[in-house]
Amino acid sequence: MSTTSLKKKNKFPLGFYICSTTFSFERAAYYSSKYLIYMFLTASMITGGLGIEKGQAAIMQSNLVAWTYLSPIIGGWISDRWIGARYTIPIGMLIMGAGYYVGSIADSASMVNLMIVLVVIGTAFFKGNVSAVNGQLFNNQEDLDSAFSVQYSFVNAGAFIGTTAVGVLYLETFAKNGVLGFSQCFLIAAILCVIGAVWFVFGWRFLGDAGKRPFKEGIVAEKVEKTKHKRLTRSEKKKVWAIILISVFSIVFWVFWYLTYLAVYDYGAVFVDMNVGGYNVPLAWFDSLNSLVCIALGPVLAALWIKLSKRPKGDMSLFKKTGLGLIFLGLAFLTLVGAEISRGVGAADTVKTSIVWIIAFGVLLSLGEMLFSPLGNSFVSKYAPKRALGVLMGVWTVATFIAGLGYGYIYKFTLQFDMIKVYSIIPVILFVAAALLFVFDKKLSTLVEEDDSVEISK
């Protein structure tokens, strides 16, 4: 019996919240560590860091970001064919916990690299599979855009808690005699992963049959009628191509999304007045702003997608929603142009612009992210052939891997040019990509339509 029998009218099933809160634990650990790893590597040894050159530290951090978006393809492949995702998810969290523990005792770059490897392996079993299990909890595919928008709020709740807390914990709470609290913060990340694993196992009872068996078998009880070597139908192949195509646009989105952080940290540290009421706001809290806005927008956008889906012509296509995400990201970059104009283009760093520009930047960036990222999970859950669900969830995340691996090099290239030129050109690229999605929306939408002719498999 499907878990959706547990779902009451207009409510998500309890298993949905089990998966989403598990994601919160993992994201709190990941995002706090993602920020902390760079600070730990570059801090002087006398303050408890490793004193590594910033370029090397940036590459190590980008490896953490990039490979945690590629490895889920392997984990998805395992869950597609051999092991139910409900079993791989807690295993992945425990491996990640082991990685963060290594970070808590690290005294060399090699140990930090070992931490990165363990976190990447753990993420392979975790990320993608959680979203895939959540997608199996719904019979009505029209609920998925709404559900994944809400899930994204849980993701960002974890990220918000992690990034907000870590800035205070390592600088103040755990700092002693000039030594910063890197070790204790990595240990907390490890503990969060262990708690998340235990919580998810506790919640198995609320998942029904979702994730019990490999995804190729669908949602089944213990009796399974296995089908081997069944070829994809023409309709399924078109849907696979649609997923690949939208993943290509995802690369464009995430390359520039990651650039926003380098842009803000670089620009904000020098040209923005971060003092509010006598308190110097940490730039690290830009991450928290992003998470907070995403948390707030999740339920709002979920309600919007439900309302649009009830229209006679149905919901807006994912291709148009993706286009809107690209537009808002482009507008975010334009706020940096506005910030520079407001203080005087090329003025000395003694002339500061208002923090309001950074806040506007974060809001627009987050709105673009919420229009783009959670809907990709929904799109894959809706249209991926069930025997390739885990892998195609991974394909969606591999776009982020490519972006994560390349954004540092792209940012280094942009440093050769005037900031005002770079932040004027980037929006143009994003707007052109968005225009292509709007212009060809009808043609692209035919890729996910069911064929009138039914292909009979023998």
Side-chain angles (χ1 to χ4, degrees):
M1 181 177 70
S2 171
T3 306
T4 48
S5 63
L6 299 174
K7 189 175 78 170
K8 296 180 181 179
K9 188 175 181 181
N10 297 325
K11 291 185 179 180
F12 296 142
L14 187 55
F16 166 82
Y17 296 104
I18 295 294
C19 291
S20 296
T21 49
T22 301
F23 229 145
S24 294
F25 283 113
E26 186 272 337
R27 291 288 88 181
Y30 173 79
Y31 276 100
S32 59
S33 298
K34 171 177 168 284
Y35 169 77
L36 200 63
I37 189 173
Y38 183 81
M39 306 308 295
F40 174 55
L41 289 169
T42 57
S44 63
M45 296 184 73
I46 198 172
T47 61
L50 296 182
I52 290 175
E53 187 266 328
K54 288 185 177 182
Q56 183 184 350
I59 291 172
M60 291 174 71
Q61 188 208 47
S62 67
N63 282 336
L64 173 70
V65 173
W67 289 100
T68 52
Y69 281 98
L70 181 67
S71 62
I73 288 188
I74 300 172
W77 186 66
I78 291 171
S79 293
D80 278 341
R81 286 161 176 76
W82 295 312
I83 306 172
R86 70 164 61 190
Y87 309 113
T88 65
I89 289 168
I91 290 171
M93 291 206 75
L94 292 175
I95 295 173
M96 283 186 280
Y100 293 129
Y101 175 75
V102 170
S104 74
I105 61 174
D107 57 6
S108 67
S110 297
M111 291 189 72
V112 174
N113 280 325
L114 175 59
M115 179 192 80
I116 292 171
V117 169
L118 289 171
V119 172
V120 167
I121 293 171
T123 304
F125 290 103
F126 179 85
K127 198 171 185 180
N129 285 335
V130 176
S131 295
V133 170
N134 243 350
Q136 285 192 327
L137 296 173
F138 295 85
N139 277 338
N140 185 359
Q141 300 297 290
E142 296 301 319
D143 292 337
L144 288 178
D145 281 3
S146 175
F148 280 110
S149 292
V150 174
Q151 176 187 277
Y152 211 64
S153 287
F154 279 92
V155 166
N156 282 282
F160 174 77
I161 293 169
T163 55
T164 303
V166 72
V168 177
L169 292 176
Y170 93 95
L171 283 173
E172 300 176 17
T173 307
F174 296 129
K176 188 175 181 181
N177 299 325
V179 177
L180 301 176
F182 298 113
S183 176
Q184 295 91 333
C185 287
F186 280 125
L187 182 59
I188 289 174
I191 293 170
L192 285 171
C193 286
V194 173
I195 293 173
V198 173
W199 169 250
F200 186 76
V201 172
F202 166 79
W204 279 355
R205 70 189 76 180
F206 304 111
L207 298 179
D209 292 323
K212 270 188 177 181
R213 310 292 300 178
F215 288 127
K216 69 177 182 179
E217 299 173 7
I219 306 175
V220 294
E222 296 307 317
K223 293 183 179 180
V224 181
E225 182 181 348
K226 295 183 179 180
T227 57
K228 296 182 179 180
H229 309 299
K230 185 178 179 182
R231 294 183 178 180
L232 295 178
T233 65
R234 182 176 61 184
S235 176
E236 287 175 331
K237 288 178 181 178
K238 288 168 63 178
K239 291 172 183 176
V240 169
W241 279 112
I243 291 169
I244 293 172
L245 178 63
I246 207 68
S247 296
V248 171
F249 279 90
S250 180
I251 295 172
V252 176
F253 180 89
W254 289 115
V255 161
F256 293 117
W257 188 90
Y258 280 121
L259 276 176
T260 62
Y261 279 81
L262 294 175
V264 165
Y265 290 147
D266 234 10
Y267 187 82
V270 181
F271 300 118
V272 178
D273 181 7
M274 300 298 290
N275 191 285
V276 177
Y279 179 72
N280 197 40
V281 177
L283 267 174
W285 283 8
F286 178 77
D287 300 63
S288 303
L289 171 64
N290 170 241
S291 299
L292 185 62
V293 174
C294 287
I295 293 167
L297 286 175
V300 174
L301 291 177
L304 175 62
W305 306 145
I306 290 175
K307 184 175 181 179
L308 290 179
S309 68
K310 293 179 179 178
R311 298 184 304 174
K313 61 180 180 180
D315 196 1
M316 187 187 305
S317 75
L318 177 80
F319 302 104
K320 285 185 176 179
K321 291 175 182 177
T322 299
L324 286 174
L326 291 165
I327 288 170
F328 278 107
L329 184 58
L331 291 173
F333 274 98
L334 286 181
T335 63
L336 289 185
V337 175
E340 181 66 5
I341 292 173
S342 73
R343 73 176 202 94
V345 178
D349 58 13
T350 54
V351 182
K352 308 288 185 181
T353 191
S354 171
I355 194 175
V356 171
W357 288 103
I358 297 296
I359 294 173
F361 182 95
V363 171
L364 289 168
L365 163 72
S366 303
L367 184 55
E369 179 184 352
M370 284 300 294
L371 284 165
F372 191 88
S373 186
L375 300 179
N377 288 326
S378 170
F379 188 78
V380 177
S381 292
K382 282 181 183 179
Y383 300 117
K386 65 182 181 181
R387 55 194 178 279
L389 176 59
V391 166
L392 289 172
M393 276 291 184
V395 167
W396 173 248
T397 60
V398 78
T400 314
F401 161 75
I402 296 172
L405 206 59
Y407 75 91
Y409 297 99
I410 294 174
Y411 188 70
K412 182 179 179 181
F413 174 75
T414 65
L415 292 177
Q416 303 175 62
F417 308 99
D418 292 339
M419 182 278 293
I420 196 75
K421 292 180 180 178
V422 173
Y423 298 154
S424 298
I425 292 172
I426 289 174
V428 173
I429 296 171
L430 292 167
F431 294 155
V432 169
L436 289 173
L437 288 170
F438 275 91
V439 170
F440 295 104
D441 174 62
K442 289 185 178 180
K443 189 171 184 64
L444 293 171
S445 294
T446 61
L447 294 174
V448 294
E449 293 175 354
E450 295 293 339
D451 287 345
D452 293 332
S453 58
V454 178
E455 297 179 50
I456 302 175
S457 301
K458 295 182 179 179

